[in-house]
Amino acid sequence: MIRSLDSRPEARPETAAPTALRQRLAELRGPTVAPRPLDARALAALAANPGCHRRALLDGAGVDKAALSRALGAPAAFGQSQFAFVRGHAFEARVKADGGAELVRLLRERLGDGSPAPEHVDLPDLAAAGPEGRTARTALALREATAAGRWAVLDHPLLALTVAGTPAYLEPDAVVVHPDGSWTVVEIKSFAMVDGSADSAKVGAAARQAAVYALALEAVAERLGAEAGLVRHRILLVCPKDFSNLPAASLVDVRKQLATTRRQLARLTGVASIAAALPEGTTFDLCLADDGRTSMRPAAELASAVDAVAAAYAPECLAACELAFHCRARSRAADAVQALGRGLRAELGGLTTVGAVLAAASGEAGDPDDPTVSALRRAAALRAQALAGVAG
Amino acid sequence: MSLITTLARLEAVRDGRARPLATVRHRHLAEKPFVFVPLTTAGEAGAPLGAMVGTDPDTPRLLVVPQPRDRDLRSAFLAELAEAMLPYIESYAEGAEYAEDTENTSGSEEPCADAPQLLVPSAAGVEYVRLLGRSMRFRRTAEQDPDAPHPAPPRVPLLGRWLTHFGERARVPGSSLLPAMTQLLGRHWATGQSVLEDQHLGALLAWIDPPHGLTGAEAAARAERERDRDGLLVHPPAGPATDPVFDNKRLAPAIARYDQGRTGAEREIHDLLETQLRPTWDAVWRGVGLLRALPEGAHVADRWKRDRWSYTAHRDRLRAGEPPQPKQDDAVTAARKLGARETAQAQLDAQEALDDPLVMAGRRLAGEAFEGEVTAVVMEYSQAKVPRPRPLVTVRTGDAPHPAEGARLHRALPGGKSQSAEFVAHEADGTLTVRLTGGMGRGKVPEAGSVPEPGDTVCWTLFEHAPRGGPELPDPDRTPWTHGGPPAAAAEAPDPVTAEDLL
Ligand code: SF4
């Protein structure tokens, strides 16, 4: 494949948010607080709940949600065991130990397209100062490797993606450049693939994360001026095989996740407009004490700042967002039926609070001609009859 | 989720405690279940950390792997587990009844009189049993393979085959060889939280049986989140995954001390694991107590008989010296299992509705059944040479079923039989007419009690009461080799041993 890759060698990612917005986001975060960069996991979670302005704004402004949840008195339960951490790193190091040859071997084996075994796998040096330097270095390495027409493995490249007006830096485990110039995202995970299959929830999460990387790679490809189709839509998932430390790989088609993520991220209301709607002086600054941990802001004050931004809490948040306990408490306090599940909410039509549903079911309120209301009354009567029959 | 279940959840929110989803117990609960609370090492597949096991709530047995990366210690743990579990599992294997029916020359065999029941805290526990089974069943003992580099302790592969069997059986709807406590409780109570949150055993129990002075929501929040001064969860998770804070602050330092050979380090690890396991152990038994208070559903024994068959068939396969279950089912077996599970689901749905008016209420709401008062019965007869009774029954009902004309209906008769009928028409006055087509005996005059009378309350279902396959037969996938099962494949090779099978 021949491409013209002569454009903008230091292709700068579109990371720059307009100054006014940057200013505003810095105020929200706290003037002395460094922004917390978004990662692929956060982006995938963000895309999973695109209706949530609260999360979009906090992530967009680079607020440390874990610290915020602690200061709110509703700390998240996220954390990693050092056993898992050590194992994850050891496995990744092992897979990459031979400079990428093993990764290329696994990829070729999975593709099964009979391409010749490489004599040599390029392993470009991606070191550079600062995230912007590193993304530029990555783009350059991708350009060179693509032009070289050889196998190359980029170990921990750094990619940038602009989401709702804010930059996010993403670091896939690896990207493989094929001799034909196409790119494959590599995800190395430490959950086992037993007899060729792994926990589907974990594979799904890995695929959503990989889709974010593929999206960011496509942005790089665009900036490099290469034609579309450069980024392969099947990512390589590498996991420990059975109960061993040997790698097993599988190609996962992420086209669906890619389309969903693209759509959801586009739907994210721009951070700018959410920020603009906030009352004057709103800030999530924790005003940390000298220990760098203890919040000096009263929890009630922080809570009212957080609650000024609309949320869309559902139980799925518990596994995806650090603020979930806080939002759950708010959602429950508001008597929202969605706190019990999105499906349940969908079933109840226009009735959005527990009180309204129960009142409609008992006949105290609600329009009897509304099919939801009449179904509820019927359900309540049948339920009461069955329970009374047993009690009596 | 049916609207009735949804209502129950909302009632629970209002009342601050769980509300019933069933009026009877729909799952078999053994007199002496074997409770198995496993813990696993974070980030490792099949590297157990410890377990609490046993049949007596007051005297659990604690098994511990002080250094999960040590292959020999893991082997020793599995050997201990086999020694703790196999006698229980095998104690049901003897004494399969043989029907003393001299006329039956086919030697109609009965399954074992009872079967073992393994109880785990949560669905993740069921998956872990499967994983443990997979990790053990292909291993070779020194006796089987004198050259095996790391021979398995004698009974470990056998336990692997049993655990695999239990794990496989757990996928059959309504089966009770390996139930998860969260699923058992979730079947019978609706909490004021989501199904996702119900996966937490402590939170689920908090809603069902909140401590005095607390609402379910408050008690559940504590169970989920309360941490001590060091940030450790006061109510440890029900496993097999541990609390990461526990791993980092307590377990890792203790294991480091063990690795340095410090005295007392092993004891310390024991004590630490006990703090994580004991609350879950007690929670499982608390769940057992709550479930026992519910009367058993009428069809539960039928389903348990299928479980007994499943157990008996596996016993026979082991006795016949067959190889371990394959790593992957062939296409035919997989399709058959799927079919069997679908049948089991249909049977379960029908039986639960028949056993429990609250479940039937859901089917009535869905238009799949109707209940009402008989207002008239007109005796009619079929056109056959020997006319048979075909009475027309008129029912007044508030339910809104939508059967097509001529649709088959079913009604439970006292004694467990079901009577077939045919839907005739929706009448102008809102009543329904139904023609009875069976279940009235062989004579010209219906047997006493087989035709309802005006004033009786009757319930017809649009679904069959015993969809395909009677309760007497073993499931197709449990057909023992001796009963014409598929030919035995050669045993698969054990997993290769890598230099360090852990990282
Ligand atoms: S937990 Fe709150 S902030 Fe996070 S996604 Fe859910 S609703 Fe939004």
Side-chain angles (χ1 to χ4, degrees):
Chain A
M1 238 184 267
I2 298 160
R3 317 179 184 292
S4 69
L5 291 173
D6 55 353
S7 62
R8 292 176 295 166
E10 300 115 315
R12 265 181 62 90
E14 301 155 37
T15 54
T19 330
L21 177 61
R22 277 193 179 184
Q23 181 70 34
R24 182 76 179 105
L25 295 183
E27 280 165 22
L28 287 173
R29 191 171 59 236
T32 59
V33 184
R36 215 185 147 74
L38 281 169
D39 58 15
R41 201 185 295 245
L43 279 181
L46 197 54
N49 192 2
C52 182
H53 287 189
R54 188 174 293 171
R55 184 173 180 143
L57 180 70
L58 292 172
D59 279 350
V63 172
D64 180 347
K65 296 203 300 305
L68 178 59
S69 71
R70 272 197 303 274
L72 286 166
F78 298 101
Q80 199 183 21
S81 163
Q82 57 174 270
F83 301 126
F85 184 80
V86 168
R87 164 150 168 126
H89 279 261
F91 180 65
E92 183 176 340
R94 195 186 165 89
V95 170
K96 290 177 175 169
D98 55 3
E102 175 72 356
L103 274 181
V104 170
R105 186 190 68 76
L106 287 166
L107 182 55
R108 285 183 54 249
E109 180 189 286
R110 285 291 111 201
L111 286 169
D113 56 5
S115 57
E119 281 162 27
H120 177 76
V121 174
D122 290 343
L123 193 71
D125 176 15
L126 300 177
E132 299 198 354
R134 284 185 59 201
T135 50
R137 186 74 198 83
T138 294
L140 187 66
L142 277 168
R143 197 186 75 143
E144 286 170 0
T146 306
R150 284 196 304 266
W151 287 102
V153 171
L154 276 70
D155 186 3
H156 285 284
L158 195 70
L159 309 167
L161 191 67
T162 306
V163 178
T166 5
Y169 291 104
L170 308 166
E171 192 175 330
D173 291 328
V175 170
V176 177
V177 178
H178 297 239
D180 69 0
S182 59
W183 306 342
T184 295
V185 173
V186 179
E187 269 291 282
I188 302 173
K189 293 289 183 191
S190 63
F191 55 81
M193 215 181 267
V194 178
D195 300 335
S197 67
D199 184 327
S200 58
K202 289 178 180 160
V203 175
R208 281 191 297 277
Q209 215 175 310
V212 174
Y213 296 136
L215 208 60
L217 267 184
E218 284 184 351
V220 176
E222 223 165 87
R223 282 194 296 273
L224 287 179
E227 61 255 40
L230 197 68
V231 182
R232 293 197 174 220
H233 290 159
R234 287 197 299 170
I235 65 111
L236 188 74
L237 176 64
V238 183
C239 298
K241 179 173 159 42
D242 302 333
F243 305 98
S244 74
N245 54 5
L246 305 171
S250 126
L251 287 168
V252 182
D253 191 329
V254 298
R255 259 175 306 180
K256 222 178 72 205
Q257 289 81 354
L258 201 55
T260 315
T261 310
R262 196 180 279 127
R263 193 175 57 242
Q264 307 284 53
L265 290 182
R267 254 182 70 193
L268 277 178
T269 311
V271 169
S273 61
I274 303 175
L278 286 179
E280 195 64 36
T282 303
T283 173
F284 306 109
D285 192 356
L286 303 180
C287 305
L288 291 181
D290 291 341
D291 66 357
R293 258 188 83 81
T294 315
S295 164
M296 304 300 280
R297 277 290 284 293
E301 209 180 290
L302 270 178
S304 60
V306 168
D307 295 343
V309 200
Y313 172 80
E316 289 77 14
C317 290
L318 289 166
C321 184
E322 292 88 342
L323 278 184
F325 285 137
H326 174 79
C327 296
R328 180 176 74 177
R330 292 292 144 153
S331 177
R332 283 183 177 169
D335 209 24
V337 287
Q338 182 156 315
L340 280 88
R342 285 205 181 102
L344 196 131
R345 161 85 185 75
E347 196 179 38
L348 294 169
L351 303 169
T352 56
T353 67
V354 176
V357 176
L358 290 175
S362 67
E364 285 160 38
D367 172 6
D369 293 333
D370 177 341
T372 310
V373 173
S374 61
L376 272 170
R377 288 187 185 168
R378 184 89 206 103
L382 282 168
R383 177 165 165 80
Q385 184 199 3
L387 286 172
V390 174
Chain B
M1 209 186 295
S2 106
L3 206 48
I4 290 190
T5 309
T6 299
L7 263 181
R9 286 195 178 268
L10 301 186
E11 285 172 12
V13 173
R14 179 194 62 200
D15 295 358
R17 65 185 302 150
R19 296 280 299 148
L21 272 185
T23 64
V24 295
R25 176 160 44 75
H26 289 289
R27 298 290 180 274
H28 176 81
L29 197 54
E31 221 166 276
K32 199 180 82 168
F34 187 98
V35 173
F36 177 42
V37 184
L39 282 185
T40 190
T41 312
E44 304 273 3
L49 189 58
M52 201 166 259
V53 297
T55 55
D56 179 356
D58 298 323
T59 53
R61 182 164 167 188
L62 177 65
L63 310 178
V64 170
V65 188
Q67 170 48 281
R69 292 168 168 222
D70 184 318
R71 201 193 305 262
D72 295 331
L73 293 176
R74 265 183 294 138
S75 266
F77 166 86
L78 296 175
E80 253 189 285
L81 189 64
E83 188 227 307
M85 263 187 183
L86 282 174
Y88 171 79
I89 293 174
E90 289 171 339
S91 67
Y92 297 87
E94 298 311 322
E97 314 153 3
Y98 288 86
E100 291 182 34
D101 180 357
T102 43
E103 276 172 47
N104 188 339
T105 48
S106 69
S108 78
E109 213 181 316
E110 279 285 298
C112 294
D114 203 355
Q117 182 177 51
L118 295 187
L119 256 183
V120 290
S122 63
V126 174
E127 279 313 304
Y128 199 65
V129 167
R130 292 180 65 85
L131 190 75
L132 277 181
R134 167 63 183 81
S135 77
M136 288 189 267
R137 71 178 188 263
F138 298 112
R139 293 190 57 188
R140 301 281 175 82
T141 61
E143 198 179 313
Q144 289 168 321
D145 180 1
D147 302 328
H150 294 274
R155 307 248 286 163
V156 162
L158 180 63
L159 180 64
R161 298 177 66 175
W162 272 117
L163 293 188
T164 300
H165 184 74
F166 276 87
E168 198 59 22
R169 182 71 192 167
R171 295 188 164 176
V172 176
S175 70
S176 294
L177 283 188
L178 173 64
M181 185 46 75
T182 48
Q183 287 168 344
L184 290 176
L185 294 173
R187 172 66 195 86
H188 297 90
W189 282 276
T191 64
Q193 60 185 6
S194 67
V195 180
L196 271 171
E197 290 154 299
D198 281 350
Q199 304 310 307
H200 188 295
L201 179 57
L204 184 55
L205 279 168
W207 273 99
I208 298 172
D209 187 17
H212 191 71
L214 288 185
T215 66
E218 290 162 351
R222 279 198 191 177
E224 274 178 332
R225 294 175 40 195
E226 200 179 346
R227 289 179 184 272
D228 65 13
R229 249 181 298 127
D230 293 331
L232 264 70
L233 285 170
V234 174
H235 309 274
T242 46
D243 172 15
V245 181
F246 168 77
D247 280 8
N248 298 342
K249 293 204 173 166
R250 293 282 185 277
L251 189 59
I255 290 181
R257 281 190 283 278
Y258 175 85
D259 288 342
Q260 292 157 9
R262 302 263 198 95
T263 44
E266 184 164 356
R267 182 74 249 157
E268 189 191 352
I269 295 172
H270 266 258
D271 294 347
L272 282 174
L273 290 193
E274 177 151 26
T275 64
Q276 300 298 294
L277 286 162
R278 186 66 197 237
T280 305
W281 168 270
D282 290 337
V284 172
W285 286 103
R286 225 176 111 205
V288 169
L290 289 164
L291 288 161
R292 279 206 209 287
L294 290 171
E296 186 177 279
H299 281 94
V300 169
D302 278 1
R303 291 197 294 277
W304 180 242
K305 188 168 188 184
R306 291 178 164 269
D307 283 324
R308 285 160 49 207
W309 262 119
S310 163
Y311 168 76
T312 309
H314 189 63
R315 175 204 68 175
D316 291 346
R317 280 195 287 265
L318 291 173
R319 286 186 178 170
E322 280 153 23
Q325 301 93 326
K327 288 180 185 168
Q328 259 147 1
D329 286 330
D330 59 85
V332 177
T333 309
R336 249 200 319 196
K337 280 187 182 172
L338 208 63
R341 281 173 208 156
E342 276 167 15
T343 310
Q345 184 68 58
Q347 280 167 344
L348 179 66
D349 290 346
Q351 294 180 341
E352 286 192 350
L354 294 171
D355 291 353
D356 185 346
L358 194 47
V359 180
M360 188 63 92
R363 308 295 294 261
R364 288 166 62 193
L365 184 67
E368 295 161 351
F370 59 96
E371 187 182 285
E373 190 187 322
V374 176
T375 57
V377 179
V378 178
M379 195 43 102
E380 292 188 357
Y381 292 89
S382 67
Q383 306 280 325
K385 229 192 309 178
V386 185
R388 312 294 304 276
R390 291 288 179 265
L392 263 186
V393 181
T394 309
V395 194
R396 180 181 311 286
T397 176
D399 296 344
H402 305 287
E405 201 190 310
R408 274 172 73 81
L409 301 175
H410 311 269
R411 177 171 85 104
L413 292 177
K417 286 240 160 46
S418 107
Q419 178 177 52
S420 62
E422 217 173 72
F423 179 70
V424 180
H426 283 278
E427 303 297 338
D429 63 355
T431 56
L432 303 173
T433 45
V434 169
R435 185 186 302 285
L436 301 188
T437 56
M440 290 168 286
R442 296 168 184 227
K444 188 166 182 262
V445 180
E447 273 173 11
S450 66
V451 177
E453 290 172 18
D456 285 358
T457 297
V458 290
C459 180
W460 269 292
T461 69
L462 279 68
F463 54 85
E464 272 182 71
H465 292 185
R468 215 183 86 207
E472 303 296 313
L473 297 168
D475 290 354
D477 60 318
R478 308 292 165 213
T479 310
W481 306 115
T482 46
H483 295 62
E492 286 176 81
D495 294 304
V497 177
T498 47
E500 347 124 37
D501 58 352
L502 289 167
L503 296 156

